[in-house]
Amino acid sequence: MDQGFRYSSSRETTVRSSDERSKFEAEASEQGLYLPGSLGASPHSPPPSTRFSKLADSFRAQSPRLYHVADRVVKYIRGPRPKVDLPNPVPLLGRTYNFKDRRFTIAFEPAIIRITRPLTAAWLFVLLVAAYIISFSFLVRAQWYTIPASSFIGCTSVYWTRDAGCGLDGSLCAPFSNSSFDFRCPAQCSSVVLQNPRLVGDESVDFVPLLVGGGDSQKTYRADSFICASAIQAGLFSDSTGGCASVNLVGNFTNYLPTTAFGLSSIGFPSVFPMSFRFSPSNILTHCTDLRTPALAFNICITCLLFLVLRPKAIVMWWCLVCIGFWHIALFSQPQATPPPLDVAFGAFLPTLFVCYGFWRVAVRFTLPLFANAPFEAMIWYLAPYWTGVLTNLTMDQIPIERLTAADIKQQPGGVVALIIIVLILLVLVVNQIRVIRKTGWLPYYLGWYILGGLVTLVLALLPGLQFRLHHYIISMALFPGIGFPTRLSAIYQGFLLGMFLNGVAAFGFDSILQTAASLVGDGTTGSPLPTFLTNSTTYNASIALANQTISWHGIPNAIATQGWNGFALLVDDVEVYVGTALNYSLAALEAGLPHFFRLAYTTGGTPGDFTMPATLWPNGTWVGPLPGAS
């Protein structure tokens, strides 16, 4: 065998003969070029290796102890030379164990392979794939296409939108009463919560479903309550199955009472609101049960069947996991709308396939095929974390972190502690994976790419006017290249990261990693300037009847007027009752004997900015000014 020059790696090996190398160096020398590592030297400068060795010798002479430490660190990070491959995993349930001079052979994996070998024929696999597609299609039809599409509502559907969303006196949300609607809710709506604080009177609600009222004998809810969660609390159907009901608008109502039922708690509202609703069973809609749980059981059984019985080639198995997970999320566990928008799902499916092929190339092809003789192990290591990632909306539901933004983590109780725990767990896993990579000699290569990626991320995060958003599909894409090794932990990581990636793109699409502050805020506060009330506890005269009272506020300062703010909007009892340039408002239309809540905002062109926190007027005439900050 020729003793040629060799560039080797654990993935690919390229061999070039000595004759080819010598000829190439001679041609380069004639052209006055210098080749790193060639036998000849550049006529203008010493080889880089010579310059580096001189610098190293100088550093060693000046700081021998520091040089020794740095040399050991560099050699440790570099790992073995030449690079080596890790040994392939030996099946735990298909090997011989020694215990106290006795040998025990476990042949569970070989038995599975032997028994199921007749069922691994390609024609049977194709037949079962066709049967699966047909069965899955019937499930989808039963889930979404047996009742009118207009009957479906989402978990956050409401009749009345927050703050000034319904316009002056709620005109955009009319009619307020004498209207009914038969609807169908999906399952698991009790886990869909507010992402930003919501003011109901003087009470702030956050990170729970918005439920106002329901505690009276007729179970009356304020119109901005989540309809599906309200129906669950009212006992119309269960959270696990979803269901159908009829909602009836009943208009004005006073003193909404709080209640707790079926795992959900509502808050009260002691004043009057112009729109309310109550429920009754639906006599029109049928096929109301949400089938996401039967679909999940069906798909889990199919994936187990793939690993244990059918055992297709690793690349075929990979594409089966990708397709099953994506369409289960898009059509059952977390559709982007109800019913699912198929055009949107297909729009995300093609780029998902491209990314998943990248996952196969950089990682999965070095791990999944090695478990061909251990189908039961492969099923455990891949499927358990895979379905955990696919169902991220459920498995991570109890972790008090919804969005990886500083404001969100600070607002949600337990968010900081949860983040610290998650970071520590990730740190342990990453350090262990670094140890595995170092054993192969590939650590400098991976460190170089991840450092470069970190620098690019830092530059993106510092772009003006944009905020960096680390979506969970981005986390999967960033971590996947570092888990392509023949270890059981790599198999676990691959299963979970694939599931988490599919959950991100199927449920939310390929959202940009750079987003404006407004898109991240959603329906939260924007940081606009806030007006101030002139009325306070000392200027309000409780001896004057409510019908003769007015409240007032300060005018617009010049510094704020130059920003385009030119008017005011006033909310009374969470309803917009005034938009204009006046500096006062008469309370003659308010009902005496009830508490009333006032929030004020600047407007530009009639569109309000952030509202103040509520000022409260109690029935005994006590005025309590607003707390600092926006609502």
Side-chain angles (χ1 to χ4, degrees), residues 31 42 58 64-65 226 297 329 342 355 404 425 446 518 536 566 586:
Q31 300 176 26
S42 169
S58 174
R65 177 174 293 181
F226 290 174
I329 296 165
L342 295 180
V355 175
L404 287 176
I425 293 174
Y446 280 93
N536 56 44
N566 52 20
S586 171

Side-chain angles (χ1 to χ4, degrees), residues 192-221:
V192 179
V193 300
L194 293 169
Q195 294 296 316
N196 290 298
R198 187 74 61 89
L199 262 293
V200 177
D202 62 347
E203 188 171 353
S204 180
V205 184
D206 201 5
F207 301 114
V208 294
L210 181 59
L211 298 172
V212 185
D216 61 290
S217 60
Q218 295 179 297
K219 298 181 180 179
T220 308
Y221 291 88

Side-chain angles (χ1 to χ4, degrees), residues 343-576:
D343 56 336
V344 176
F346 276 103
F349 186 53
L350 184 59
T352 297
L353 295 180
F354 277 105
V355 175
C356 288
Y357 178 70
F359 290 165
W360 168 264
R361 294 292 302 174
V362 302
V364 181
R365 66 189 177 110
F366 306 117
T367 308
L368 182 56
L370 303 181
F371 290 93
N373 294 325
F376 184 79
E377 258 196 84
M379 180 185 70
I380 298 300
W381 303 138
Y382 273 96
L383 288 190
Y386 165 77
W387 284 111
T388 300
V390 166
L391 303 175
T392 300
N393 59 313
L394 298 180
T395 56
M396 307 298 174
D397 180 55
Q398 299 304 316
I399 299 176
I401 295 179
E402 294 289 339
R403 297 168 297 186
L404 287 176
T405 61
D408 183 74
I409 293 170
K410 291 179 181 177
Q411 287 177 5
Q412 194 160 358
V416 176
V417 175
L419 180 63
I420 293 173
I421 294 174
I422 291 173
V423 169
L424 290 177
I425 293 174
L426 287 177
L427 181 63
V428 171
L429 297 178
V430 168
V431 169
N432 179 72
Q433 194 67 12
I434 289 175
R435 181 186 62 84
V436 171
I437 298 173
R438 192 203 71 83
K439 287 182 178 180
T440 67
W442 281 90
L443 185 56
Y445 176 82
Y446 280 93
L447 283 178
W449 280 107
Y450 275 106
I451 290 173
L452 177 61
L455 293 175
V456 172
T457 300
L458 181 62
V459 171
L460 293 176
L462 296 177
L463 290 177
L466 295 172
Q467 295 189 21
F468 183 79
R469 178 78 184 277
L470 193 61
H471 302 285
H472 49 300
Y473 85 88
I474 295 291
I475 296 175
S476 296
M477 294 175 65
L479 296 180
F480 236 107
I483 57 174
F485 296 88
T487 65
R488 291 176 173 84
L489 280 178
S490 292
I492 294 172
Y493 300 153
Q494 289 172 13
F496 178 74
L497 291 180
L498 172 63
M500 188 168 70
F501 170 79
L502 295 175
N503 179 272
V505 297
F508 306 104
F510 287 89
D511 278 354
S512 172
I513 60 174
L514 294 177
Q515 296 179 318
T516 63
S519 64
L520 284 177
V521 167
D523 62 354
T525 57
T526 62
S528 62
L530 298 173
T532 55
F533 283 99
L534 189 59
T535 301
N536 56 44
S537 59
T538 58
T539 60
Y540 186 85
N541 189 351
S543 63
I544 300 175
L546 185 65
N548 299 323
Q549 292 278 11
T550 60
I551 60 172
S552 57
W553 46 86
H554 291 279
I556 304 175
N558 290 333
I560 293 177
T562 57
Q563 300 176 23
W565 302 102
N566 52 20
F568 300 91
L570 177 67
L571 300 179
V572 177
D573 299 331
D574 302 332
V575 178
E576 186 179 47

Side-chain angles (χ1 to χ4, degrees), residues 242-264:
C244 299
S246 181
V247 60
N248 310 296
L249 296 181
V250 294
N252 241 2
F253 193 79
T254 303
N255 192 19
Y256 299 84
L257 300 178
T259 187
T260 298
F262 299 100
L264 293 170

